Amino acid sequence: MAYKIDNAIIKKDRNGKLTLIDPENVFGDEDAFIAVKSEDLITIQLLINGIMKNDFKTWKELGSIPDNEPLKSLFVRLGYSREDIAKLLKEF
């Protein structure tokens, strides 16, 4: 079973005004929100699923990771191939 992170869309108009798009009213009672880029959210969800399956190489093997390296690069560092990521996405 895949782990799910509740999410909604935060849309910014031309004037910079933000609007929460939450058709299922998941965040109706919330006072504060965090915005995460879509591709990063998917990456986070896939990483959580991988952690729950415990199918990662040892995290110690990653070594030092530069601060400016994108989160999605962890898949490559952890030894995932494109096929592995495609399989994870299908399960998602």
Side-chain angles (χ1 to χ4, degrees), residues 15 21 26 32 35 47 64:
N15 299 322
I21 300 172
V26 174
L47 285 170
S64 178

Side-chain angles (χ1 to χ4, degrees), residues 7-67:
N7 59 80
I9 297 172
I10 299 173
K11 183 177 178 183
K12 184 170 29 173
D13 68 14
R14 293 181 191 169
N15 299 322
K17 180 184 175 195
L18 300 175
T19 303
L20 177 67
I21 300 172
D22 182 17
E24 296 178 12
N25 201 31
V26 174
F27 298 97
D29 295 330
E30 300 295 328
D31 294 327
F33 303 95
I34 296 173
V36 178
K37 288 183 178 182
S38 298
E39 70 179 39
D40 290 340
L41 177 65
I42 292 169
T43 301
I44 290 166
Q45 288 177 302
L46 291 174
L47 285 170
I48 289 171
N49 289 343
I51 291 166
M52 290 177 68
K53 288 183 172 184
N54 196 25
D55 62 355
F56 284 123
K57 292 164 103 181
T58 305
W59 284 90
K60 292 178 185 177
E61 294 178 19
L62 292 178
S64 178
I65 300 172
D67 290 338

Side-chain angles (χ1 to χ4, degrees), residues 47 55-59 61-63 65 69 71-86 88:
L47 285 170
D55 62 355
F56 284 123
K57 292 164 103 181
T58 305
W59 284 90
E61 294 178 19
L62 292 178
I65 300 172
E69 188 169 316
L71 181 63
K72 61 187 170 190
S73 71
L74 281 177
F75 285 110
V76 176
R77 288 179 166 270
L78 290 166
Y80 279 85
S81 67
R82 287 180 185 229
E83 293 79 22
D84 295 331
I85 295 170
L88 286 171

